[in-house]
Amino acid sequence: MRLRLLGDSIAAGVGSTRREDTPGPLLAARLRAAGHEVDLKVHAVPGARSADLAAQVRAAIAGGVDLAVIVIGANDLTRFVPAHIGAQQLHDAVADLRRADAHVVVSTAPDLSVVAHVPPALRDVVSAVSRDYAQAQVQAVIRAGGVVAHVERAVSARFATDPSLFAADRFHPSGAGYRVIAEALAPAVEAALSA
């Protein structure tokens, strides 16, 4: 099972002090426990936006990919990328991976209103913008033949109330936060493999 992680700093595991507590190794361990032999490569790049997925997809396809997990959207939101543009770039990435016979699971943009740096007066607005962006991504992923992992639904409330899920920078997840994210990703990964 050639597992490839694509996307941004969350897919790369920025914020964790231990590599084994990042999404790639956590998902690989879960797949190994289910009996798969797993070859893991992380193509994700901190700071990446949806526009940067094309290069990551090319690298994943060139090296071979059976299952691609994409985590993208936070940097699009912080840089005010219009939802229809980011969603189209994500669609194209998923479609290219599907044409290469890869299963594709996508975790859409997080709810950035849970980040401590967001002023309380702006949290409702940031939450609404995050939700709208993620919804555009969901539609794009489904059109391209991918599987959506609704991670934000499963983890946002926990991140909003548990500071230990954030790294010292109060933006990226900690190792504990990544374990929560990987647990939320797992059902979609398993669904993609059984499809």
Side-chain angles (χ1 to χ4, degrees):
M1 169 74 58
R2 296 168 296 179
L3 171 63
R4 307 298 182 241
L5 268 283
L6 292 79
D8 56 24
S9 57
I10 305 269
V14 171
S16 177
T17 57
R18 299 180 342 139
R19 183 180 181 278
E20 58 266 32
D21 287 333
T22 61
L26 288 167
L27 290 171
R30 189 174 181 115
L31 290 170
R32 287 183 186 112
H36 296 281
E37 217 174 293
V38 180
D39 170 47
L40 170 66
K41 285 196 177 132
V42 178
H43 297 288
V45 176
R49 292 176 283 178
S50 296
D52 301 310
L53 286 174
Q56 296 179 30
V57 167
R58 285 193 298 273
I61 291 171
V65 54
D66 299 308
L67 171 61
V69 176
I70 301 174
V71 182
I72 199 77
N75 296 311
D76 291 333
L77 284 168
T78 62
R79 289 175 177 81
F80 306 105
V81 174
H84 71 280
I85 292 175
Q88 184 61 50
Q89 291 163 337
L90 176 58
H91 170 278
D92 295 347
V94 173
D96 287 347
L97 287 161
R98 293 294 295 137
R99 278 191 287 274
D101 292 324
H103 299 286
V104 185
V105 174
V106 177
S107 176
T108 58
D111 182 351
L112 290 183
S113 71
V114 303
V115 175
H117 306 305
V118 175
L122 295 178
R123 289 205 174 128
D124 287 345
V125 172
V126 171
S127 182
V129 170
S130 298
R131 196 169 41 251
D132 290 348
Y133 199 94
Q135 187 54 43
Q137 290 179 305
V138 166
Q139 293 168 2
V141 170
I142 291 170
R143 277 197 325 269
V147 173
V148 177
H150 294 284
V151 173
E152 75 290 344
R153 291 181 191 167
V155 307
S156 290
R158 291 183 68 180
F159 272 80
T161 58
D162 186 352
S164 73
L165 299 181
F166 284 97
D169 67 4
R170 301 293 298 136
F171 185 79
H172 293 97
S174 63
Y178 281 119
R179 287 191 295 276
V180 169
I181 289 169
E183 190 67 28
L185 269 168
V189 167
E190 290 158 0
L193 291 178
S194 64

